[in-house]
Amino acid sequence: MKPKIVRGTRDFFSVTVNKRNFIFEKLRNIFVKYGFNALETPAMESLETLTGKYGEEGDQLLFKILNNGDFLKKANTDALSTSDSKTLASSISKRALRYDLTVPFARFVAMHRNELHFPYRRYQIQPVWRADNPQKGRYREFYQCDVDIIGSDSLLNEAELIQIYDEAFDSLGIQVVIRLNNRKILDGLAAYCGRPDLFMPITVAIDKLDKIGWSGVQKEIESMGLDLTAFEKIKAVVTAPDLQTLKKYFAAIEIGTEGIKELQTVLDFLEGYQFSNQLKIDFSLARGLSYYTGCIFEVAVDTSIDHQKNIKIGSIGGGGRYADLTGIFGLKDMSGVGVSFGAARIYDVMDELDLFDNIDLNECKVMLLCMDETALKYGFKAIRKIRQAGIASSIYPKAWKFQKLMKFANNVKVPFVVVIGSQEVDSGMLGFKNMQTGDQNACSIDSIIQQLSK
Amino acid sequence: MKPKIVRGTRDFFSVTVNKRNFIFEKLRNIFVKYGFNALETPAMESLETLTGKYGEEGDQLLFKILNNGDFLKKANTDALSTSDSKTLASSISKRALRYDLTVPFARFVAMHRNELHFPYRRYQIQPVWRADNPQKGRYREFYQCDVDIIGSDSLLNEAELIQIYDEAFDSLGIQVVIRLNNRKILDGLAAYCGRPDLFMPITVAIDKLDKIGWSGVQKEIESMGLDLTAFEKIKAVVTAPDLQTLKKYFAAIEIGTEGIKELQTVLDFLEGYQFSNQLKIDFSLARGLSYYTGCIFEVAVDTSIDHQKNIKIGSIGGGGRYADLTGIFGLKDMSGVGVSFGAARIYDVMDELDLFDNIDLNECKVMLLCMDETALKYGFKAIRKIRQAGIASSIYPKAWKFQKLMKFANNVKVPFVVVIGSQEVDSGMLGFKNMQTGDQNACSIDSIIQQLSK
């Protein structure tokens, strides 16, 4: 039987796991510092919980679990006779793997409403599964990392999440631009053009500004039947230099004025906060518009900084406020705000910027190589001392020839080795070798520990 | 729609996640110190990889994933027409959730044989899924934690795993008994009775010694058609005080002698090692006998120690050597040895022994309560300083009445609060209250940080 892995999934070797854990550990420390609660939900949710939450397309991407036992007993016989896979599925499967962390979170909050106290603040770092067609950078199993506050409409929460983004990326060593907008400003913009009904297409057009430029946006606007005046209004709003200017445009637009007020309140809370990164108000930001109802966030690598200018990876985080997340589960009026961290992309950015280079990644630091049985016993006693000093170390478990042992040590890329033969056992001075430089010295075990502890 | 969770699975609240992470962190640190590589494999494996590895019963307990899209197209039409769920399953499902970490590890090793260098040492901490009937203490999703060395038959590996057990439980604060036996001694025992063919039933009978006592074992032995002499031989071997005594019994039994020699070699490697726990050779230990081929380990709470005497939880760890783990995947002659840690049971033991009591579990330590808008802005600036000092802290995101705020702080069980009203804003002396003792003092922010940092 040929061993094979499920398409679109990956085995993660040690260095990858350790790098990823380094990121998660940094993020977790910040979430904890900001007083967030950890949460873990099950990999499986009931199919009912997940269906219809991610649109028609999302439903197709759910990994459904086949019911156990004699599942055909309760199968939909009509669907069976007409070979209707889609209809049959829900009669032979009642569970699926989670598709994201948001819906399980909403289910959790609604289910435990009487045990939780609101506002409830949680972070969650767990894998999710999607039956997407695998391609470069797109997998069927990947981690998500979400932070949310639910049960409070205070804009202090938005300010806090911006601080979390700022601190998190600073602690990872990535310089970012945090972009901020408000859905109500996008709503106001459509109203300002006299066409609140065109909110969706106008927003979609603006969202493409980065890619298609103003001429492209103009074409799209015109294709909606809007005139040049409308386009110029749109352009004026989106390029407004500050909230004051926008306030004038929106003087008669209630929803837009509200959006400005919300952004101003967030900025007021952040007054005097020393940013490590850039915060930019961006009236063209229109992320997940069908979902968010207030502030919208997006984080991208700051490519204006020289050593980051070649990073081609787009958004590495985003989020916003949603007025009603748990309504579908019968818990009304729960306003929430949350952000996520794009763990896989953050990983790629850090790799490209060599940010893992000077980090102790918990990999084995030294390997003991013993050339005869006496040396092996001696080495197994010596390694106790090395481990007592907290140094990640291993011993090749058999006595062997020097060349063979060195070849193994080379293959596993351990940075240091200690060579022990009969001479070393007699003298207590062991062969301590730096595998990168090739330097080798006869050292006592204590001296080796001292050098490795540096 | 009523929110519900999948039967047999659980949501893990913050304290539980943090306690569990505390355990995993301690274990991980030790695995790293012993030079093991981290490994993570996908939640899904191909059904082919998993089927037949856990016996008939195990196959029934796999959570199978329904194929995506029009899965009926490739369905087995015979199985459909005869309503044969079992046969149909493999034609409409080609993946399943992993049932343990051992088979995915074997699949990984066989698949990556050309990238790995043997002996390969890995640890893996991930959830597994089983469609077992849920009952108290038995769930359908739970973590496993395994450490294995593959590609080396050296008994130094066994010695190392015993040290890992010893250090791990010491670092968790649980006193344990590590029991050690060897499959070859159990083989030898059957041979010593003149009935190597009865190895399985004899071993099963001995394995029950704890529960049924010697009289019970005798009954079982007799029911196999063995006479009193055979029973007395068995009793003599199992109660042999040391390896020397056993050696005499097994003088003519080659396999038994080999087992003794192996145990002796392990003990020789451990010579001079300062155990924090008890290591006990136990010739009645017969764990997973269909699987292991050499040394066998099992760890239990040491109930001879006074403060642990009421712990009723059985084995909290176990493992052993398997001569051929990857053969089924086409990679022959890979001897391996590994142990697992029963994470859920370790958690329960630590909870019962109050071992989490004096541990900083990353829960929010202090909450700021602000009674008017000015106080809220003041508080949101003050909390920056608290967080800069690395103290887990939160701020109630709205100004509110004192009683309401205190009620919330009480509900979420935060150990300290800082109360801020207009008076506090003016004086800079904030109301610092210990929620356990009820003590309250007016303190500067710096003094509060100092007190919380202790």
Side-chain angles (χ1 to χ4, degrees):
Chain A
M1 181 183 171
K2 208 176 131 64
K4 59 170 202 261
I5 194 164
V6 166
R7 207 165 74 95
T9 71
R10 295 162 288 173
D11 289 319
F12 293 102
F13 284 65
S14 197
V15 173
T16 312
V17 173
N18 287 332
K19 285 180 181 176
R20 192 163 64 194
N21 281 343
F22 173 84
I23 295 172
F24 289 154
E25 202 50 38
K26 285 277 181 194
L27 296 180
R28 187 180 288 120
N29 283 342
I30 287 165
F31 304 153
V32 164
K33 205 164 73 173
Y34 276 78
F36 281 78
N37 299 291
L39 173 66
E40 288 192 16
T41 62
M44 295 184 279
E45 292 283 348
S46 77
L47 196 51
E48 224 187 334
T49 297
L50 302 179
T51 305
K53 307 303 186 299
Y54 309 105
E56 179 74 16
E57 200 200 341
D59 285 352
Q60 299 311 310
L61 300 184
L62 294 175
F63 278 113
K64 299 180 188 75
I65 315 269
L66 192 59
N67 292 344
N68 283 87
D70 189 7
F71 58 86
L72 279 173
K73 241 199 223 159
K74 291 184 179 172
N76 181 322
T77 45
D78 287 351
L80 267 176
S81 62
T82 58
S83 285
D84 178 354
S85 292
K86 215 165 144 185
T87 308
L88 182 65
S90 57
S91 72
I92 61 171
S93 159
K94 61 184 176 203
R95 290 167 292 233
L97 294 181
R98 69 174 160 250
Y99 180 90
D100 71 359
L101 302 178
T102 306
V103 170
F105 173 57
R107 191 269 307 150
F108 167 84
V109 167
M111 194 172 139
H112 299 282
R113 64 186 85 176
N114 297 322
E115 298 148 74
L116 298 173
H117 303 281
F118 299 99
Y120 171 70
R121 305 147 63 78
R122 83 89 173 76
Y123 73 88
Q124 190 169 356
I125 305 174
Q126 290 191 283
V128 302
W129 295 269
R130 295 180 185 181
D132 246 324
N133 218 10
Q135 46 180 264
K136 194 180 158 4
R138 193 204 279 163
Y139 297 96
R140 291 180 152 185
E141 174 181 64
F142 55 95
Y143 273 94
Q144 286 198 338
C145 171
D146 283 16
V147 203
D148 291 85
I149 302 145
I150 190 161
S152 160
D153 59 7
S154 166
L155 291 153
L156 184 143
N157 299 312
E158 271 83 344
E160 215 164 36
L161 291 175
I162 290 170
Q163 290 182 350
I164 285 179
Y165 263 151
D166 186 55
E167 269 207 55
F169 287 105
D170 186 44
S171 82
L172 293 171
I174 308 174
Q175 285 284 310
V176 297
V177 179
I178 304 164
R179 297 196 296 155
L180 172 64
N181 196 12
N182 194 298
R183 156 78 183 244
K184 290 169 185 164
I185 285 175
L186 296 168
D187 278 319
L189 177 58
Y192 186 49
C193 297
R195 294 295 300 272
D197 58 310
L198 290 181
F199 160 74
M200 199 67 98
I202 293 176
T203 306
V204 169
I206 292 169
D207 202 27
K208 292 190 213 156
L209 177 59
D210 268 2
K211 282 173 203 137
I212 61 176
W214 277 114
S215 63
V217 173
Q218 183 169 2
K219 262 181 223 153
E220 297 223 355
I221 297 294
E222 282 167 355
S223 75
M224 295 170 210
L226 286 170
D227 60 11
L228 189 66
T229 323
F231 169 70
E232 277 171 353
K233 278 182 169 181
I234 290 169
K235 192 169 175 184
V237 163
V238 170
T239 58
D242 51 40
L243 290 174
Q244 291 314 310
T245 312
L246 193 58
K247 215 172 187 172
K248 285 175 209 152
Y249 299 146
F250 280 176
I253 315 282
E254 200 179 335
I255 184 94
T257 306
E258 208 178 309
I260 294 171
K261 214 173 128 192
E262 289 189 4
L263 289 181
Q264 190 57 56
T265 305
V266 173
L267 295 182
D268 288 349
F269 274 121
L270 291 169
E271 190 216 308
Y273 174 76
Q274 300 255 331
F275 276 94
S276 302
N277 297 284
Q278 265 197 81
L279 175 68
K280 248 189 192 163
I281 305 262
D282 180 346
F283 302 125
S284 76
L285 179 66
R287 196 189 154 83
L289 45 105
S290 62
Y291 191 80
Y292 297 121
T293 55
C295 285
I296 307 169
F297 314 99
E298 190 163 274
V299 178
V301 175
D302 187 347
T303 48
S304 75
I305 290 171
D306 201 48
H307 75 279
Q308 296 189 159
K309 66 171 186 273
N310 294 322
I311 301 291
K312 296 275 175 283
I313 293 159
S315 153
I316 54 175
R321 178 169 288 276
Y322 32 87
D324 176 28
L325 186 69
T326 54
I328 187 105
F329 297 112
L331 181 60
K332 298 280 174 205
D333 299 323
M334 291 296 267
S335 186
V337 58
V339 296
S340 16
F341 289 80
R345 287 180 168 193
I346 293 170
Y347 182 105
D348 290 342
V349 170
M350 290 185 66
D351 236 5
E352 270 196 58
L353 294 175
D354 301 324
L355 292 173
F356 293 117
D357 279 9
N358 296 313
I359 290 164
D360 180 2
L361 282 174
N362 286 330
E363 296 292 315
C364 185
K365 212 166 178 179
V366 61
M367 180 175 285
L368 274 60
L369 308 175
C370 307
M371 293 186 287
D372 61 44
E373 292 305 324
T374 314
L376 187 66
K377 282 195 179 148
Y378 183 97
F380 195 58
K381 286 204 170 76
I383 202 168
R384 286 180 204 164
K385 282 188 120 178
I386 298 176
R387 286 170 176 163
Q388 267 163 13
I391 296 162
S393 47
S394 65
I395 176 167
Y396 191 89
K398 279 208 167 162
W400 213 8
K401 284 180 196 156
F402 176 74
Q403 282 81 0
K404 301 262 190 188
L405 290 167
M406 283 304 287
K407 196 179 163 204
F408 181 81
N410 250 320
N411 282 339
V412 299
K413 297 194 182 73
V414 66
F416 295 92
V417 299
V418 175
V419 182
I420 312 176
S422 56
Q423 209 182 323
E424 285 77 13
V425 170
D426 288 344
S427 67
M429 297 300 277
L430 315 179
F432 183 50
K433 180 168 182 145
N434 181 325
M435 298 291 280
Q436 262 115 54
T437 63
D439 290 349
Q440 181 166 347
N441 291 295
C443 300
S444 70
I445 186 73
D446 292 331
S447 154
I448 290 171
I449 291 170
Q450 212 185 346
Q451 291 175 66
L452 289 172
S453 298
K454 261 184 252 171
Chain B
M1 180 183 171
K2 208 177 131 62
K4 59 169 201 264
I5 194 165
V6 166
R7 207 166 73 95
T9 69
R10 296 162 288 174
D11 289 319
F12 294 102
F13 285 66
S14 197
V15 173
T16 311
V17 173
N18 286 331
K19 286 180 180 174
R20 192 164 62 193
N21 281 344
F22 173 83
I23 296 172
F24 289 155
E25 203 49 39
K26 286 277 182 194
L27 297 180
R28 187 179 289 119
N29 283 341
I30 288 166
F31 304 154
V32 165
K33 206 164 73 174
Y34 276 78
F36 281 77
N37 299 292
L39 174 66
E40 289 191 16
T41 62
M44 296 183 278
E45 291 283 349
S46 78
L47 196 51
E48 224 188 333
T49 297
L50 302 179
T51 305
K53 308 302 187 299
Y54 311 105
E56 178 74 14
E57 201 199 342
D59 285 351
Q60 299 310 310
L61 300 184
L62 294 174
F63 277 113
K64 299 180 189 74
I65 315 269
L66 192 59
N67 292 344
N68 284 87
D70 189 6
F71 58 86
L72 279 173
K73 241 199 223 159
K74 291 185 180 170
N76 180 323
T77 46
D78 288 350
L80 268 176
S81 62
T82 59
S83 284
D84 178 354
S85 292
K86 216 165 142 185
T87 308
L88 182 65
S90 57
S91 71
I92 61 172
S93 160
K94 60 184 176 201
R95 288 167 292 233
L97 295 181
R98 68 173 160 250
Y99 179 90
D100 71 0
L101 301 180
T102 307
V103 171
F105 172 57
R107 190 270 307 149
F108 167 83
V109 168
M111 195 172 137
H112 298 283
R113 66 187 84 176
N114 297 323
E115 298 150 74
L116 297 173
H117 302 280
F118 299 100
Y120 170 69
R121 308 146 63 78
R122 83 89 171 77
Y123 73 87
Q124 190 170 357
I125 305 175
Q126 289 191 285
V128 301
W129 295 270
R130 295 182 185 180
D132 246 322
N133 218 12
Q135 45 180 261
K136 195 182 158 2
R138 193 204 280 163
Y139 296 96
R140 290 180 153 185
E141 174 182 63
F142 55 95
Y143 273 94
Q144 286 198 339
C145 171
D146 284 14
V147 203
D148 291 85
I149 302 144
I150 190 161
S152 159
D153 59 7
S154 166
L155 290 152
L156 184 143
N157 299 312
E158 271 84 344
E160 214 163 37
L161 291 174
I162 291 171
Q163 290 182 349
I164 285 178
Y165 263 151
D166 186 56
E167 269 206 57
F169 287 104
D170 186 45
S171 83
L172 294 171
I174 307 174
Q175 284 284 310
V176 297
V177 180
I178 305 163
R179 296 197 295 154
L180 173 63
N181 196 13
N182 194 298
R183 156 79 183 244
K184 290 169 185 164
I185 284 175
L186 295 168
D187 279 320
L189 178 57
Y192 186 46
C193 297
R195 294 295 298 272
D197 58 311
L198 290 180
F199 160 75
M200 198 67 99
I202 293 175
T203 306
V204 169
I206 291 169
D207 202 26
K208 291 189 213 155
L209 177 59
D210 269 2
K211 283 173 201 135
I212 60 176
W214 277 114
S215 62
V217 172
Q218 185 169 1
K219 261 180 224 154
E220 296 222 357
I221 297 294
E222 282 167 358
S223 76
M224 294 170 212
L226 286 170
D227 61 10
L228 189 66
T229 322
F231 169 70
E232 278 171 353
K233 278 183 168 179
I234 290 168
K235 193 170 173 183
V237 163
V238 170
T239 58
D242 52 39
L243 290 175
Q244 291 313 313
T245 312
L246 192 58
K247 216 171 185 172
K248 285 175 208 153
Y249 298 144
F250 281 176
I253 315 283
E254 197 179 337
I255 184 95
T257 305
E258 207 178 308
I260 295 171
K261 213 173 131 191
E262 289 189 3
L263 289 181
Q264 191 56 58
T265 305
V266 174
L267 295 182
D268 288 349
F269 275 121
L270 291 168
E271 190 216 307
Y273 175 74
Q274 301 256 332
F275 275 95
S276 302
N277 297 284
Q278 267 195 79
L279 175 67
K280 249 189 190 163
I281 304 262
D282 181 345
F283 302 125
S284 76
L285 180 65
R287 197 188 155 84
L289 44 106
S290 61
Y291 190 79
Y292 297 121
T293 54
C295 285
I296 307 169
F297 314 99
E298 190 162 274
V299 177
V301 175
D302 187 346
T303 48
S304 74
I305 290 170
D306 202 50
H307 75 278
Q308 295 190 159
K309 66 171 186 272
N310 295 320
I311 300 291
K312 296 276 176 282
I313 293 159
S315 152
I316 53 175
R321 177 169 290 274
Y322 31 86
D324 176 29
L325 185 68
T326 54
I328 188 103
F329 297 111
L331 181 60
K332 299 282 174 203
D333 299 322
M334 292 296 266
S335 185
V337 57
V339 296
S340 11
F341 288 79
R345 287 180 168 193
I346 293 170
Y347 182 106
D348 290 343
V349 170
M350 290 185 66
D351 235 5
E352 270 196 56
L353 294 175
D354 301 325
L355 292 173
F356 294 117
D357 279 9
N358 296 313
I359 290 164
D360 181 2
L361 282 173
N362 285 331
E363 296 293 315
C364 185
K365 210 164 179 181
V366 60
M367 181 175 284
L368 274 59
L369 309 174
C370 306
M371 294 187 287
D372 61 43
E373 292 305 324
T374 315
L376 187 65
K377 281 196 180 146
Y378 183 97
F380 195 58
K381 286 204 171 78
I383 202 168
R384 287 180 204 163
K385 283 188 116 175
I386 299 177
R387 287 171 176 163
Q388 267 162 13
I391 297 161
S393 47
S394 65
I395 177 167
Y396 191 88
K398 278 207 167 161
W400 213 9
K401 285 181 195 154
F402 177 73
Q403 282 82 0
K404 301 262 190 190
L405 289 167
M406 283 304 286
K407 196 178 161 204
F408 181 80
N410 251 319
N411 283 339
V412 298
K413 298 195 180 72
V414 67
F416 296 92
V417 299
V418 174
V419 183
I420 312 176
S422 56
Q423 211 182 323
E424 285 77 13
V425 170
D426 288 344
S427 67
M429 297 300 276
L430 315 179
F432 182 50
K433 183 168 178 144
N434 181 323
M435 298 293 279
Q436 263 115 55
T437 64
D439 291 349
Q440 182 167 346
N441 292 293
C443 300
S444 71
I445 186 72
D446 291 331
S447 154
I448 290 170
I449 291 169
Q450 211 185 346
Q451 292 175 66
L452 289 172
S453 299
K454 260 183 252 170

